[in-house]
Amino acid sequence: MKKKKRLKFLSGQLSFVFLLTTLMVSSSCQKEKPKLIKEKVSPVISLAVYPFPLSQIKILEGPFREMIERNRRYLLELDPDRLLHNFRLNAGLTSQAKPLGGWEEPK
């Protein structure tokens, strides 16, 4: 059961990375430079990719949206105290929570 959840989580992460890569490539195909960039020195080589605000991204229904929702539901299922256990220990704080285990297991 845990292995299936981990695989779903990882597939969601990979889908999200693929989505961001696709967006970067598609934005590099723009012919005009966005107005957000103010260059003080003109580049020797023209830039292929320009930054854009995240407000320009809208994820429609489809496999990427499903993976994002699946990832969100999984993260909301986790107990915050157990998830923060290692962070608290690394910060020198005490934690009464049981660690999640797996790669979250303190070594």
Side-chain angles (χ1 to χ4, degrees):
M1 187 67 178
K2 287 183 182 181
K3 195 171 189 176
K4 279 188 176 183
K5 282 188 176 184
R6 187 172 288 159
L7 287 174
K8 285 181 183 179
F9 175 76
L10 290 175
S11 66
Q13 295 298 318
L14 289 173
S15 297
F16 187 68
V17 169
F18 179 73
L19 169 69
L20 289 180
T21 306
T22 305
L23 289 171
M24 286 181 181
V25 170
S26 67
S27 69
S28 69
C29 297
Q30 295 175 354
K31 293 187 170 121
E32 293 182 20
K33 192 184 319 179
K35 307 222 185 249
L36 298 172
I37 297 177
K38 296 178 183 177
E39 296 174 352
K40 294 181 181 178
V41 179
S42 58
V44 177
I45 300 171
S46 63
L47 298 175
V49 178
Y50 295 97
F52 55 90
L54 292 178
S55 60
Q56 289 182 346
I57 298 172
K58 183 174 183 183
I59 300 174
L60 303 174
E61 295 300 320
F64 297 119
R65 180 69 169 202
E66 290 171 18
M67 292 296 174
I68 289 170
E69 287 302 314
R70 183 180 296 163
N71 188 23
R72 185 185 66 79
R73 284 192 308 267
Y74 170 73
L75 290 173
L76 289 174
E77 285 177 6
L78 298 175
D79 179 23
D81 288 328
R82 292 184 69 191
L83 186 61
L84 293 171
H85 175 79
N86 284 336
F87 293 101
R88 290 180 177 146
L89 293 181
N90 289 332
L93 303 171
T94 60
S95 176
Q96 302 300 321
K98 179 183 172 191
L100 286 174
W103 58 53
E104 293 289 336
E105 186 77 31
K107 301 271 178 183

